[in-house]
Amino acid sequence: MGRRRHFYWVHVFWICLGIWASGSSSIEDFRRAFPIVEPDPGHTKLQLSSEGLEILERITNPVAAVAVIGPYRSGKSFLLNQLLSLSCYEGFGVGHMRDTKTKGIWVWGAPVELDINGVKTSVFYLDTEGFESVGKSNVYDDRIFALATVLSSVLIYNLPETIREADISRLSFAVELAEEFYGRVKGEDVAFEPAKLLWLIQRDFLQGKSVKQMVDEALRRVPNADGDKNINQVNQIRESLAVMGDNSTAFSLPQPHLQRTKLCDLNDDELDPIYIKKREQLKEVVSGVTRPKIVQGKMLNGKEFVSFLKQILEALNKGEIPSTGSLVEVFNKKILEQCLKKYSGMIGKISLPLPVQALQDAHERLRQMTIKTFDDQHFGRHHAKRSAMQLEEEIEKVYKNVLLANEYQSSKLCEALYTKCEDKMDQLQVLRLPSMAKFNAGFLQCNQSFEQECVGPSKPNYEQRMTKMMSKSRTLFIKEYNHRLFNWLVAFSLVMVVIGRFVIKFIMIEVGAWVMFIFLETYTRMFWSAETLYFNPVWHFIVATWENLVYNPVLDLDRWVFPIVLLGILFMLYWRCYGRRKHGFHSLLPLYGNQKGGSARLRARLLQGSSQPSGSQSKNPVVHRKKY
């Protein structure tokens, strides 16, 4: 049992040792080529390779990529090994057969450390699958070329012996990139700069024209008297490449040896000395033009470069044919989202509802600010128009939602104001004491509050409803006003008759009340209706007096009528039951029962005097003379 346990722990130890050894070997194994992009099964699109991406993500320094492109079997892999000072058995695989060796895009795992303008930069080299090999579509070649163009800081276009028309046509994508991105600046930082193009022509002869002359002649405009579209297109590429002259370099490299199939087995001392000299010069040229990869004003490290690669690959695989337009869209996508978010945030802070024109003006101002921000930050010069149009469309979608919200808030606000005024008019219709002045004041207040507070697109519709409702309420109030006032005056006159007769016992109040009652009843009987009374000047005087009493700046009698009546009743009850006996009553005006009351008091005094002694009677001679 103990021996088995011993063997178990020994077995575990060797497993752990094997895992550690494999991890160590993977670190040491960085000095080899890794695929970062591979063809899909149909060999039309590209897909990522996780093995190579893990290598790139480990790099923390700013990175730069040197990529070599060109036809298949043109010596790209051998050239890269020469630039890296590696043999064929150490570096990129070199094929000696007629099929292409490299599939997709490969990277050398150990980057070269360079000090570029004081910045420690990790430069890695990319080997690409050759053009025009058997079993591939032209679209696949375009994707390889486009990806290498965008990723690299230096793009070496490796051509055997001379420049062909097809080589120039293939550069159309690089030209579009240059037109779209080159020189795009944010403040002081270059937002995106395409690769430095290096024309590398390998040939067996060095006499005659220089490579620079060959490139200039190849880029010279071709006469096109017949107006051939294809020639026009190629001429446009030539003109654009000529404009890119500051971004391109020409270099010639002789063949290293006549027996090219044995190059991998030859040492430097066996190669052509002229080739060795030019190769070293080429290394210096490549090092001199290499710059850190800058995107959106920032130098990319390994992880950021991988993220950038994923973006580009998604854009190139998006359509059937890779295009600069799709690439521009990817770069502008984030900027577009930021601008749209900025617009949405600004217009979302506007307090709704607003008048339609005010909201339109605010939208136009914010839209112009957003478009300006996009113009200041976007990538691309020509294809960016599509992104700008997309931003316009997205802004309009947001604005339509704001319009709907404004309409809803406007309808909600105006409906509340309309309901408030409708309730106010209903209250004025049933005033305890009808008052035209109070109705007009409420009517005016409703109109003013509605006009000032109801805003937005719903206002015209509610204005029509408000006008109809207010007009109807006014007509109804005027119609009922005179009738209610007439009835109030009739009732008031009868009440005052009762008060003047039995409560206050003031004859003048009763007489005045009877005069008012007789006038109202007689006039209406004479003219058969109460409406004829409303045109009488006396009625106008009564109405004016009533209005001044019922509603004025000092007192709103309709509001205080019940408290005043209640206080009056309490006062009269107090006076009848207690106040008159305690304080007496002396009136200068004629009251009911004054004579009768005086005689009763006089008889009482005489009776009191007759019961007194004769001595006391002599003191009141006036009383004895009084006859009854």
Side-chain angles (χ1 to χ4, degrees), residues 478-548:
I478 293 174
K479 180 180 178 180
E480 298 293 331
Y481 173 75
N482 288 315
H483 292 293
R484 293 182 63 196
L485 182 57
F486 178 83
N487 294 332
W488 262 103
L489 291 176
V490 171
F492 177 75
S493 63
L494 293 176
V495 170
M496 294 308 296
V497 167
V498 173
I499 292 175
R501 179 78 177 177
F502 300 105
V503 180
I504 301 178
K505 297 185 178 182
F506 186 19
I507 192 170
M508 295 300 295
I509 294 178
E510 182 184 3
V511 171
W514 277 117
V515 170
M516 178 184 291
F517 178 79
I518 294 171
F519 170 77
L520 294 174
E521 290 295 323
T522 304
Y523 195 94
T524 55
R525 295 290 186 274
M526 290 174 60
F527 295 97
W528 302 103
S529 66
E531 283 77 3
T532 56
L533 176 64
Y534 305 151
F535 299 99
N536 191 293
V538 177
W539 176 257
H540 294 166
F541 173 77
I542 293 173
V543 169
T545 305
W546 171 267
E547 289 290 339
N548 290 329

Side-chain angles (χ1 to χ4, degrees), residues 210-391:
S210 65
V211 176
K212 177 63 176 171
Q213 290 175 330
M214 291 177 62
V215 172
D216 292 340
E217 285 186 4
L219 298 181
R220 193 172 299 158
R221 186 178 181 86
V222 176
N224 186 20
D226 298 332
D228 187 283
K229 293 182 179 180
N230 294 327
I231 298 178
N232 280 336
Q233 184 176 2
V234 175
N235 281 335
Q236 289 178 2
I237 297 172
R238 283 185 166 90
E239 292 172 0
S240 299
L241 286 171
V243 173
M244 287 176 59
D246 294 338
N247 199 44
S248 64
T249 304
F251 196 88
S252 64
L253 192 65
Q255 295 295 335
H257 198 276
L258 294 178
Q259 295 181 343
R260 298 187 60 186
T261 57
K262 296 183 178 181
L263 289 177
C264 289
D265 300 322
L266 300 177
N267 298 323
D268 281 358
D269 55 359
E270 299 177 273
L271 300 179
D272 190 333
I274 299 178
Y275 168 79
I276 298 298
K277 180 180 179 181
K278 297 288 288 184
R279 182 192 67 186
E280 297 305 314
Q281 291 177 357
L282 177 61
K283 289 181 180 180
E284 294 177 1
V285 170
V286 171
S287 299
V289 297
T290 301
R291 295 292 181 271
K293 191 64 181 178
I294 297 176
V295 175
Q296 295 182 332
K298 181 182 179 182
M299 297 180 183
L300 302 185
N301 59 25
K303 284 189 176 180
E304 293 164 342
F305 184 86
V306 171
S307 177
F308 175 67
L309 166 61
K310 292 177 180 178
Q311 275 187 306
I312 301 303
L313 194 60
E314 177 186 356
L316 295 178
N317 285 333
K318 185 177 181 181
E320 292 299 323
I321 299 176
S323 65
T324 308
S326 61
L327 199 61
V328 171
E329 288 179 22
V330 169
F331 275 95
N332 289 334
K333 183 179 179 180
K334 186 175 181 180
I335 300 173
L336 189 148
E337 291 174 351
Q338 291 174 348
C339 291
L340 186 61
K341 184 177 180 181
K342 178 181 178 182
Y343 169 82
S344 301
M346 290 189 297
I347 202 167
K349 293 179 180 178
I350 296 177
S351 179
L352 299 178
L354 279 180
V356 177
Q357 188 59 47
L359 185 59
Q360 177 67 31
D361 294 341
H363 158 69
E364 189 62 29
R365 185 180 70 258
L366 296 179
R367 187 189 69 85
Q368 291 178 359
M369 290 173 55
T370 305
I371 295 299
K372 185 179 183 302
T373 302
F374 181 78
D375 289 340
D376 292 341
Q377 298 182 3
H378 78 267
F379 295 97
R381 299 180 180 179
H382 306 295
H383 292 282
K385 293 180 180 178
R386 184 171 178 180
S387 297
M389 290 175 61
Q390 184 180 355
L391 178 60

Side-chain angles (χ1 to χ4, degrees), residues 98-123:
R98 297 302 296 173
D99 60 343
T100 179
K101 182 72 174 177
T102 304
K103 302 292 184 183
I105 299 179
W106 290 60
V107 62
W108 182 247
V112 178
E113 303 294 336
L114 292 180
D115 189 314
I116 301 176
N117 297 328
V119 178
K120 186 179 180 181
T121 307
S122 298
V123 182

Side-chain angles (χ1 to χ4, degrees), residues 87-105:
S87 69
C88 298
Y89 304 104
E90 295 175 300
F92 291 98
V94 177
H96 298 291
M97 301 176 65
R98 297 302 296 173
D99 60 343
T100 179
K101 182 72 174 177
T102 304
K103 302 292 184 183
I105 299 179

Side-chain angles (χ1 to χ4, degrees), residues 167 408 437:
D167 301 325
Y408 170 74

Side-chain angles (χ1 to χ4, degrees), residues 8-126:
Y8 170 77
W9 287 111
V10 170
H11 184 65
V12 170
F13 171 77
W14 282 111
I15 290 175
C16 296
L17 184 62
I19 294 173
W20 177 82
S22 62
S24 300
S25 63
S26 63
I27 295 175
E28 295 175 357
D29 207 20
F30 282 169
R31 291 188 56 81
R32 66 181 180 90
F34 295 88
I36 59 172
V37 174
E38 297 175 321
D40 65 354
H43 224 101
T44 56
K45 295 185 178 181
L46 300 172
Q47 58 189 16
L48 296 172
S49 175
S50 59
E51 187 180 13
L53 298 184
E54 291 176 3
I55 302 300
L56 295 179
E57 288 179 340
R58 293 173 179 265
I59 303 174
T60 58
N61 297 330
V63 298
V66 177
V68 179
I69 61 172
Y72 84 107
R73 299 295 298 157
S74 61
K76 299 186 299 301
S77 299
F78 180 80
L79 175 63
L80 280 168
N81 290 334
Q82 292 291 296
L83 294 176
L84 289 167
S85 302
L86 299 172
S87 69
C88 298
Y89 304 104
E90 295 175 300
F92 291 98
V94 177
H96 298 291
M97 301 176 65
R98 297 302 296 173
D99 60 343
T100 179
K101 182 72 174 177
T102 304
K103 302 292 184 183
I105 299 179
W106 290 60
V107 62
W108 182 247
V112 178
E113 303 294 336
L114 292 180
D115 189 314
I116 301 176
N117 297 328
V119 178
K120 186 179 180 181
T121 307
S122 298
V123 182
F124 50 84
Y125 288 77
L126 302 176

